Amino acid sequence: MSTLTGRRPSGPAPYRPPRPAPYRPSGLTWTVLRLHRTALYVWGAALLTVVAALIWMHAIGPDARAAAGDCAASDFLADCGIIRETAADKIYAYGLALVSTCVTYLMYAVAVWAGAALTGRELESGTARLAWTQSVTPARWLAAKLAVPAVLLTAGTALAVLLGDWTRRAGNGELSGGWFITNVFISSGPVAVAYALAGLALGALAGLVLRRALPAAAAALAAAYVLHEVLDRFRMSLWPAETTTGRAALQFPHGALVLEHGAVTGDGERLSTSMACVGTDSAAALGKCVERSGLTDFWTTYQPESHFWPLQLVESGLLLAVAGLATAAAFALLRRRTA
């Protein structure tokens, strides 16, 4: 009589195909995102906050417009003051100003981060050289370092600009400030994206030059500040202004930025600071003012609101040129150091 021993029959084990490995994102792009995930989370949270705030302000825009209209139509300053204090226009105006400021000065944060973390810290710690020994060329490493944040910055900043314009159209345009104000101008067009990209390139170059995080951050911040202030000072000179004479010089076009206004005396002397007779409503009133003041002519040089887009495009072109030069310098420096 045989007994069961519990042993498995001898022979080869049946073939079992190996389980597929779980998918793990790989590649240089994913490495950049993973390495700088903290900055990615901060950027995403800031963008979501801006988007939510702009959508909410767009919703209260009609109320802000109605409140401003009631205030303008009021015959009593006290009533107007009450409306200003209690209506949605105050929240609307403050909210737009805050968002515009954040978009305008995004360049500084981007430049500091790029100089300190994107290139400076990795060169200081040796992480970059370790990547170069793992079949990643220095040029490819730098290209990924610049391309990934450039795409994210372009998409996010463009979204904020478009939503900002959408929100301004929903409310009272007078509450968002003149188009020529620095914060409004930069946050309302493609120049905001160009500033962010210029800050990225300047920061990356500072990190490659100094190869230390903190000094590179300080240098990038200084370069961004100089670039921002120079363009802010000469912005209205980037496109030819218009000049009018005679009575037209006394009635400034709505929304225009007056650069210079003056008058001509009976002796032919030009007074560039004279505001005499400005705002006269009729030809008779103008004649009396001219006779009383001894003036013979007037002139006004100004930038009309129609020059908004030419100025935007010229400044954007200059900023992109700076970004391109800084990027080219960064690649040339990296190639010389790794040759």
Side-chain angles (χ1 to χ4, degrees):
M1 173 181 269
S2 63
T3 60
L4 297 176
T5 61
R7 296 179 179 178
R8 294 181 180 179
S10 60
Y15 172 76
R16 294 180 180 179
R19 294 181 179 180
Y23 173 74
R24 296 179 182 274
S26 59
L28 197 53
T29 299
W30 173 251
T31 302
V32 174
L33 291 174
R34 185 178 58 184
L35 186 61
H36 300 284
R37 57 184 176 273
T38 301
L40 179 62
Y41 294 154
V42 171
W43 171 240
L47 183 59
L48 286 176
T49 302
V50 168
V51 168
L54 288 173
I55 292 175
W56 176 64
M57 283 186 288
H58 179 272
I60 68 172
D63 294 335
R65 177 181 296 177
D70 293 341
C71 179
S74 176
D75 294 330
F76 301 98
L77 294 179
D79 293 342
C80 186
I82 293 174
I83 292 173
R84 289 292 188 189
E85 289 296 327
T86 60
D89 62 337
K90 190 171 184 179
I91 301 175
Y92 177 84
Y94 285 176
L96 271 181
L98 180 60
V99 171
S100 298
T101 300
C102 293
V103 174
T104 298
Y105 297 104
L106 172 66
M107 175 189 188
Y108 293 112
V110 171
V112 170
W113 170 77
L118 193 65
T119 54
R121 187 180 63 185
E122 293 201 30
L123 290 171
E124 183 178 7
S125 63
T127 308
R129 291 195 174 276
L130 178 62
W132 300 342
T133 61
Q134 298 178 350
S135 71
V136 177
T137 63
R140 188 183 169 205
W141 170 83
L142 182 57
K145 287 289 183 181
L146 292 174
V148 174
V151 170
L152 296 175
L153 284 171
T154 300
T157 308
L159 177 61
V161 169
L162 292 174
L163 285 176
D165 291 341
W166 178 60
T167 302
R168 288 186 181 91
R169 288 195 298 270
N172 187 352
E174 299 297 331
L175 297 176
S176 60
W179 65 271
F180 46 81
I181 297 175
T182 299
N183 290 5
V184 177
F185 182 85
I186 293 179
S187 64
S188 300
V191 72
V193 178
Y195 267 109
L197 295 178
L200 176 66
L202 290 173
L205 177 60
L208 287 170
V209 171
L210 299 176
R211 291 183 287 183
R212 295 178 60 191
L214 290 181
L221 180 62
Y225 175 79
V226 170
L227 178 62
H228 191 282
E229 291 301 310
V230 168
L231 288 176
D232 189 45
R233 181 179 181 86
F234 296 101
R235 174 171 296 123
M236 293 304 159
S237 301
L238 298 178
W239 193 260
E242 295 186 3
T243 301
T244 59
T245 58
R247 184 178 177 183
L250 304 178
Q251 303 291 338
F252 305 149
H254 178 72
L257 173 63
V258 177
L259 303 176
E260 188 178 15
H261 176 79
V264 181
T265 65
D267 299 332
E269 181 183 0
R270 295 173 65 91
L271 304 176
S272 61
T273 59
S274 174
M275 298 295 290
C277 305
V278 171
T280 50
D281 297 329
S282 64
L286 177 60
K288 291 180 180 179
C289 180
V290 170
E291 182 179 357
R292 183 173 60 254
S293 58
L295 303 175
T296 60
D297 199 6
F298 307 92
W299 86 92
T300 298
T301 301
Y302 63 94
Q303 287 285 7
E305 192 171 1
S306 60
H307 286 184
F308 171 81
W309 280 109
L311 288 167
Q312 279 273 336
L313 295 177
V314 171
E315 187 167 350
S316 298
L318 292 175
L319 287 165
L320 292 178
V322 170
L325 290 174
T327 301
F331 275 99
L333 178 62
L334 183 64
R335 184 167 52 252
R336 188 180 67 179
R337 286 181 174 174
T338 58

